[in-house]
Amino acid sequence: MAIVDRTRELERLAEERGGIGWGGRSAREMLAESERLFAETGRYFGIEELELKRNDPIRFEKLFSRLRGGLVSARETALNISASPIVKEIGELSFALYTPEGDSVALSTGIIVHVHTMSDAIKYMIRQGYEDNPGIAPRDIFTNNDAMIGDVHNADVQTIVPIFWEGELVGWAAGVTHEIDIGAKTPGSVPVGPISRFEDGIDLPAKKIGSDDELWRDHVLAGLKGTRTPMYWTLDEKTRIAGCHMVREAVERVILEEGVEAYKQFIREVIEDGRRSFQSRVREMLIPGRYRAPAFTENAFAKEEQLPSYARVDTMMHAPVEIRVTRDAKLEMDYEGASSWGYHSSNCTPSAMQGAVWVQLTQTLIPNDKVNDGAYLGLNTNFPPGTWTNHSNPQASTGIAWAFLIPSFMGFIKSVSRALQARGFVEEVLAPYGLTSNAFQGGGIDQYGRQSATTNFGLSCVGGGGKMILDGLDYAAAMWNPEGDMGDMEMWELIEPFLYIGQRVKPNTAGPGRHRGGSGYEALRLAWKTPFYEMQNIGNGRMFIQTGLWGGYPAATGYRHNVRNTNFFELVERREPYPTHEPDPADSELARMIEGERQFDLETTTLPEVMRQGDLYLCCFRGAAGVGDPLERPYESVMADVEGGYLLPRYAESVYGVKPGDVAKTDARRAEMREERGRRAVPVREWMRSERQRILDGDMIEPIKVMYAESIRLSESWAREFREFWDLPEDFDFDVPTPTVELTKALREQEATIG
């Protein structure tokens, strides 16, 4: 503790100096200078020469290693304080170090999405004058979970601690955990049910919550009263604070040993170094050009009588993802033409979108480089106001922002993969990953007779995208967490009143291809010792959200199969067989062997519905897309999939053209299938003429017309290109109402008037 005591003494001696920034300036002045210099020069803080790196490269690398080592050590130590399986088992926790202006210097392992969201939160506090009110002082504690300030959704709770040296703010330590329940309208951490932010759960909009390294009592009580799982909330908060304090001490040790001036120089140079390194990677690995890969998803809520009439609609969401690689090695990401925000919880903010960019970059272009805000400075992004990517509505819900954020970023990975392949980096190519669903989520009375809630993070292990040289990883990946882990079944059974009857690979979930996508898996759960527990189904069932690459097929959609008032315990009593899984829904063991009230349909995203002891819930996790023509998949690989339970036997021929046990007949069947394709093929001109007529006639379901009408009315440039592509009249539009677009326009007019 000598180091800590020494730094506290220095802080007390410097209390009477001016602003908390360097040289007596305010933090706001430092942030303004940083942004001005970058705008003028294109370099972080206008740095021309990386003098520390050039003059003493070993010291430069040691400084980074020591700081990052401190972050990783803080994470690995702090997560043992938590009791939540989401943190302790899955590792939904990370820590980061920031400059005084809020730019990230280094990040621990863990949920990388938050490297930038916490940066946004720090900069918000600086811009809003927190230095004056409520004050930023040594040993203060701040928190945030507001997505419009800097976050993805309320469940990601941040703790932020300033780091001072001799009265100057030299940085920030920040940590984030994903909470198991957030006190929203519906139980769990990714609520489907809220239609406004007032139902999203406990709200912490960049608040000061402690001083002298202690939490204020009112904040502690608010957390205890604000969620269904107060024990997990309290321990997670202690986890974050402990980690932040460890990071702070690691920084203090570095400054004591290396000197504060060297530290100051390093944290700026390392970010500029990150920017240059990122641009070098873009220049080296990607072919300049314009890459487009639109993505879609569904919210089928017309059936949900729990919702008010204006929210009880079926919605399709549109992400016209465009990635541009410029000649000067800039990466531009553009969502111009995205559809509107809606009265549901799947809306996003720019902070969430930029955080997702980070996750993708660290799994593609910069997996081995220093992860900090340098790469962010090499990006240009456009998330248009009023769209689901940037709802810009102070009342919109972001409770399950990942629901469309994940599908849309399949367009990012697909575009980057095309650019990598064009440059020849075929081993880096990755088809769109699996949608991380079905989310097993709910709440009620648990097996101990207590009120509880859960979000089971087995969803962090869905299928990974197929590659140009390998199949995708089976049930081992998550777009938002490259360290995906489903956790131990026994741990989930400790906190959930549902037993695992069986868990195994789900056949036919992988997208077919020459190299198939990774498979998903299924878990059959039995409600156990609970008088009631409200459960949701969360996923896609009616539509594919993204295709594969170069002839690869998309991953399978999902379905729902829940059975209530079953005879399960009667079968057990008579010692008769009971199902443990459902490999083939067309020939369902669950349907044949179990009696009860059955929900067996495509209603894959629902509001909570009660389940009780003896009820069965089938949780189907998704697979990922494939790469290449399935008819080119080696015979041996198809047979291995059949024998391993990854592919149902009847699909070996219908999809892959494989005749089991006969390679010669397989070759002949594949030749026939190619000829059949040729006979069915339609020239592109003919297909476009027929599709154009469908557009003119409005020959499509209402949600599709509304989706495109929103895009047309929100973006003149996208509308112009859409009309030109299909050779439509200059004033073409779909004759459907778009109330959220009109409200967006009214909000803009209101802001302009106030401004």
Side-chain angles (χ1 to χ4, degrees), residues 48-125:
E48 293 186 21
E49 293 291 335
L50 302 177
E51 295 180 359
L52 182 60
K53 181 177 182 180
R54 182 191 62 194
N55 296 332
D56 197 343
I58 294 177
R59 185 185 188 195
F60 184 88
E61 295 299 329
K62 284 177 63 178
L63 280 167
F64 182 82
S65 296
R66 290 185 63 186
L67 291 172
R68 188 169 189 272
L71 289 161
V72 173
S73 176
R75 178 180 181 269
E76 295 304 308
T77 303
L79 66 80
N80 289 298
I81 298 171
S82 175
S84 165
I86 291 180
V87 176
K88 195 172 185 66
E89 292 279 302
I90 310 302
E92 278 284 289
L93 163 71
S94 68
F95 291 95
L97 173 64
Y98 297 88
T99 67
E101 301 83 10
D103 298 306
S104 67
V105 175
L107 178 75
S108 73
T109 51
I111 40 177
I112 295 173
V113 63
H114 292 290
V115 65
H116 194 73
T117 64
M118 294 188 288
S119 173
D120 284 340
I122 293 168
K123 290 182 179 182
Y124 174 88
M125 293 191 293

Side-chain angles (χ1 to χ4, degrees), residues 106-149:
L107 178 75
S108 73
T109 51
I111 40 177
I112 295 173
V113 63
H114 292 290
V115 65
H116 194 73
T117 64
M118 294 188 288
S119 173
D120 284 340
I122 293 168
K123 290 182 179 182
Y124 174 88
M125 293 191 293
I126 292 171
R127 291 188 181 107
Q128 292 297 317
Y130 278 39
E131 182 175 350
D132 298 321
N133 185 2
I136 300 172
R139 305 175 72 190
D140 280 350
I141 305 172
F142 297 83
T143 191
N144 178 66
N145 74 342
D146 189 327
M148 292 193 75
I149 290 173

Side-chain angles (χ1 to χ4, degrees), residues 29 207 240 365 505 573 654 746:
E29 289 171 338
K207 298 177 65 175
R240 297 191 303 273
L365 295 177
V505 66
E573 183 71 23
S654 64

Side-chain angles (χ1 to χ4, degrees), residues 323-477:
I323 302 296
R324 293 186 294 271
V325 181
T326 69
R327 291 183 179 277
D328 59 348
K330 274 275 189 177
L331 195 65
E332 299 179 346
M333 187 173 189
D334 195 347
Y335 276 71
E336 190 66 33
S339 54
S340 178
W341 64 275
Y343 292 108
H344 49 69
S345 54
S346 303
N347 304 297
C348 279
T349 61
S351 184
M353 299 296 291
Q354 289 160 349
V357 173
W358 266 111
V359 182
Q360 296 297 284
L361 290 176
T362 54
Q363 295 178 70
T364 53
L365 295 177
I366 53 171
N368 300 316
D369 286 355
K370 299 179 179 71
V371 178
N372 59 35
D373 260 338
Y376 172 72
L377 297 174
L379 290 168
N380 289 330
T381 57
N382 176 33
F383 307 118
T387 68
W388 67 265
T389 72
N390 179 9
H391 60 73
S392 302
N393 179 352
Q395 297 187 17
S397 170
T398 57
I400 187 169
W402 288 107
F404 196 26
L405 191 156
I406 293 172
S408 85
F409 271 83
M410 294 185 185
F412 179 96
I413 199 73
K414 193 173 183 180
S415 296
V416 169
S417 288
R418 286 169 171 160
L420 287 164
Q421 189 270 346
R423 184 67 84 177
F425 288 94
V426 295
E427 70 278 9
E428 303 294 340
V429 166
L430 189 69
Y433 40 75
L435 179 64
T436 47
S437 61
N438 178 18
F440 184 88
Q441 177 170 271
I445 305 298
D446 66 16
Q447 66 269 44
Y448 309 110
R450 300 182 303 220
Q451 296 182 105
S452 74
T454 188
T455 301
N456 187 305
F457 263 53
L459 55 80
S460 69
C461 283
V462 296
K467 306 167 188 177
M468 286 195 75
I469 56 175
L470 294 170
D471 292 344
L473 291 171
D474 296 313
Y475 43 85

Side-chain angles (χ1 to χ4, degrees), residues 681-698:
V682 177
V684 172
R685 289 189 182 88
E686 290 182 23
W687 178 82
M688 289 191 67
R689 277 198 297 269
S690 65
E691 292 298 304
R692 176 179 182 275
Q693 195 58 50
R694 284 188 62 195
I695 294 171
L696 290 169
D697 295 343

